[in-house]
Amino acid sequence: MSNFAINIHATDKPGIIKFEANKFLTRHKSFEFHNIDEAKNSPLAQQLFYLPFVKTVYIAQNFIAIEKYDIVEWADVQEEVAGQIEDYLNKGGVVVEEETEEKKSIPVTVYAESTPNPAVMKFVANKKLVLQAAEFKNIDEAKNAPLAQKLFHFPFVKEIFMDENYVSIQKYDIAGWEEITLELREFIRNFIQDGNEVITNESLGQNNPVSETDEAKPQLDLESLDDTSKQVVAILDEYIKPAVASDGGNILFDSYNAESKTVKVILQGACSGCPSSTMTLKSGIETMLRDMLRGKVDYVEAVNG
């Protein structure tokens, strides 16, 4: 069993539903099939076309989107379809057969972007790289992350953080960014373009899918949190994380102390060790939590991931 799980997501088009997987289905490629003949290289899509209401099948990196004919409503069939896809994947079914011809490179672009942390550079790709954030302090932590492992062979690479479609790299002071940015950008681009796995055995639902002994950052169980903690997590996810991610970092909820009215968070990526992180915490996050949770939060403390 491969432990695939499928979640159903509506789209802005009523006739199309997304079935999102907790693991990658394809690597950096997307496919669109309009009939069973077009789907000859996708056993999964072929199976789905046996459902009489399936009009179009889209297969992306971690989801399958299906457009239906009007003979049924999604509310009546979506659970059954999700179950069929999940069962197929967990039995080892093939999503898309690899090309038998010589391996083709994948068109990839990567650009470098500075961050508020002068020691960190963000390398952004036009492909999704990981399904969730992952941080690596050294090569041992990166044993299930081939890209991070290879990056640690560069003597100036200190720490690595990945999320969605970018890699944030923290360097040692032995080299300036003007000397190494192009080399790192080209290395990352070539690694992805060759179709290599960024992280092996990645699965959603864990804080760090590649760490087996990460006691400092246990999986967050929302159900076990008190109401205020749940509100804090929701505010961080909706208002803070997108802004932090744009700077190549991440912020995780750690704990809430009702007596001291203090929220503790974990900083990752470019945020970890950033000279401006204290100002961001005090002027941004702390102020927002105070305003939105009046009387419940007075202070925010941070630890580096």
Side-chain angles (χ1 to χ4, degrees):
M1 298 289 284
S2 300
N3 298 318
F4 277 94
I6 298 294
N7 291 310
I8 301 169
H9 296 279
T11 70
D12 55 2
K13 296 182 178 179
I16 300 177
I17 287 285
K18 282 175 62 176
F19 299 89
E20 187 174 286
N22 63 331
K23 300 182 181 183
F24 278 112
L25 303 174
T26 69
R27 283 291 169 183
H28 315 304
K29 291 185 179 181
S30 298
F31 305 86
E32 180 176 337
F33 307 107
H34 297 92
N35 55 60
I36 198 167
D37 286 340
E38 287 186 6
K40 61 183 179 181
N41 292 328
S42 175
L44 173 55
Q46 283 192 322
Q47 179 171 308
L48 291 169
F49 276 116
Y50 280 104
L51 300 172
F53 53 82
V54 171
K55 181 179 181 181
T56 308
V57 177
Y58 309 87
I59 298 178
Q61 287 183 270
N62 71 310
F63 71 83
I64 297 159
I66 299 177
E67 182 180 11
K68 68 173 182 65
Y69 288 105
D70 294 334
I71 58 173
V72 297
E73 297 297 326
W74 273 123
D76 298 325
V77 297
Q78 62 186 28
E79 295 292 342
E80 180 181 348
V81 175
Q84 180 175 326
I85 294 172
E86 190 173 291
D87 184 60
Y88 178 88
L89 295 172
N90 282 320
K91 287 181 177 178
V94 175
V95 178
V96 178
E97 293 175 343
E98 294 184 8
E99 297 172 345
T100 55
E101 60 200 77
E102 185 179 351
K103 186 178 178 182
K104 294 182 178 179
S105 63
I106 302 163
V108 175
T109 59
V110 175
Y111 67 88
E113 185 178 285
S114 60
T115 76
N117 188 340
V120 176
M121 186 71 72
K122 181 179 176 182
F123 296 87
V124 185
N126 64 331
K127 305 287 184 182
K128 181 173 282 192
L129 304 180
V130 295
L131 298 180
Q132 64 174 354
E135 186 173 47
F136 312 96
K137 300 290 188 181
N138 53 59
I139 197 168
D140 285 341
E141 290 186 3
K143 61 183 178 181
N144 293 324
L147 175 57
Q149 272 197 331
K150 290 188 177 297
L151 286 171
F152 274 119
H153 283 90
F154 291 96
F156 44 76
V157 171
K158 183 179 181 181
E159 296 180 12
I160 298 166
F161 176 78
M162 301 178 183
D163 197 8
E164 292 287 339
N165 67 326
Y166 70 85
V167 180
S168 288
I169 297 177
Q170 185 174 77
K171 69 174 181 65
Y172 288 103
D173 292 336
I174 60 170
W177 285 120
E178 69 279 1
E179 303 170 295
I180 61 176
T181 296
L182 179 60
E183 182 180 9
L184 287 171
R185 181 175 68 81
E186 287 302 298
F187 178 84
I188 293 170
R189 185 182 67 83
N190 289 334
F191 182 93
I192 300 167
Q193 189 166 274
D194 289 342
N196 297 304
E197 278 193 311
V198 175
I199 289 179
T200 59
N201 301 319
E202 183 178 21
S203 174
L204 287 172
Q206 297 167 289
N207 253 5
N208 192 337
V210 296
S211 177
E212 297 175 1
T213 60
D214 192 355
E215 297 178 359
K217 299 188 282 282
Q219 183 176 343
L220 184 64
D221 182 7
L222 284 174
E223 296 302 319
S224 67
L225 298 179
D226 60 81
D227 290 341
T228 301
S229 294
K230 290 178 181 177
Q231 289 177 300
V232 171
V233 171
I235 292 170
L236 291 177
D237 286 348
E238 184 173 357
Y239 298 102
I240 307 300
K241 282 192 175 185
V244 170
S246 68
D247 288 333
N250 190 33
I251 185 168
L252 300 173
F253 173 81
D254 183 81
S255 61
Y256 167 68
N257 187 314
E259 291 186 6
S260 62
K261 299 181 180 179
T262 299
V263 172
K264 190 175 181 180
V265 296
I266 299 171
L267 301 179
Q268 295 180 313
C271 296
S272 181
C274 178
S276 63
S277 62
T278 300
M279 182 182 301
T280 301
L281 281 170
K282 295 300 177 184
S283 301
I285 301 171
E286 189 174 271
T287 299
M288 179 177 288
L289 291 175
R290 278 179 177 174
D291 291 344
M292 299 182 75
L293 299 173
R294 290 189 179 277
K296 296 180 180 178
V297 174
D298 285 339
Y299 307 100
V300 174
E301 294 180 358
V303 294
N304 290 328

